Amino acid sequence: MISKAFIQEQGNGRLRYEEQLVSEELKERGIPISFYTEKRVQRRQLPLDNQSLVVGDMSCVLGALKQLGISEPSLNDYPACLNNFMHRKTWISTVSELERRFFNGRYAPIFAKPATRRKRFTGCVFETEYDLYKIYGVSRQEKLLCSEVVSWISEYRVYVVNSEIRSIDFYNGNPDVLIDVEKVWQAIKSLDDVGGSYAGYAIDFGVLDSGETALVEMNDGFAVGAYSIDRKNYTDLILARWEELLSSCEK
């Protein structure tokens, strides 16, 4: 059970939108809040225990997990059990293989993102060797999660708490083109059936130019962005996932 919360501030009391949502909701719930800067969490200056909630950007939350002795959750953007929802080819590669592909003159566009380590770079489309500057400085052995480039007509984020849809937020494309929510429910069930779900997560779906509703990616709920979801449901998601992670924290 969470008894206190540490919420990241950007300096001079400024909060990002996500932290503002959680801060307002926790105050209403009567949970004590302390604010911190990134420098403090990286220096391990927060008095964390197994009843502490930490809210912030990815680097801060990962720093807090490390301090608590909790292993960083594995990346699982394209769960294997959801392959039938992808509607595009995906594969694992490396930076060196990506370079070799383009230097050999194979110019079919590829979308690539980090496969194992978060935030090594932002996922993006590579069309020619001139796009390789986007991964400048990244190890050539770094594993990549790659996919064919497809055309999205609309994209939505679905927020899930304990296998229940809490919000479906449009975020890109044509808002008049809706996803097939039944397919989202099928994906949630598939995750549950193989034990691949989290207590709180977001799963992005979109509509392709073929008209198919397809998985964009899955996002772990411990530091996921908020679109138009309300503060109660967003806080429920963050709390559910954080409590799940804390359950592995040494007493």
Side-chain angles (χ1 to χ4, degrees), residues 78 86-93 98 101 108-113 124-126 144-150 152 215-216:
Y78 301 161
M86 295 295 298
H87 295 289
R88 62 195 184 279
K89 180 183 177 183
T90 63
W91 66 96
I92 298 294
S93 185
L98 184 67
R101 179 187 183 100
I110 296 172
F111 177 83
K113 62 194 304 185
C124 55
V125 173
F126 295 84
L144 303 177
L145 186 57
C146 300
S147 72
E148 294 176 314
V149 174
V150 293
W152 299 100
L215 175 70
V216 178

Side-chain angles (χ1 to χ4, degrees), residues 58 74-83 85-88 90 111-115 117-119 121-125 145-148 150 152 154-160 169 171-172 179 183-184 187-188 191 196 198 200-208 213-221 223-227:
M58 186 68 69
S74 300
L75 275 173
N76 194 25
D77 293 357
Y78 301 161
C81 67
L82 301 185
N83 281 344
F85 297 88
M86 295 295 298
H87 295 289
R88 62 195 184 279
T90 63
F111 177 83
K113 62 194 304 185
R117 294 193 292 174
R118 292 176 172 86
K119 301 302 182 183
F121 65 92
T122 300
C124 55
V125 173
L145 186 57
C146 300
S147 72
E148 294 176 314
V150 293
W152 299 100
S154 61
E155 296 175 69
Y156 294 79
R157 174 157 291 175
V158 181
Y159 295 89
V160 183
D169 297 5
Y171 67 86
N172 192 43
I179 56 174
K183 288 197 174 182
V184 180
I188 292 170
L191 286 165
Y198 308 124
Y201 63 94
I203 188 164
D204 295 357
F205 272 84
V207 179
L208 297 170
T213 291
L215 175 70
V216 178
E217 65 181 11
M218 183 175 176
N219 299 273
D220 198 316
V224 69
Y227 289 118

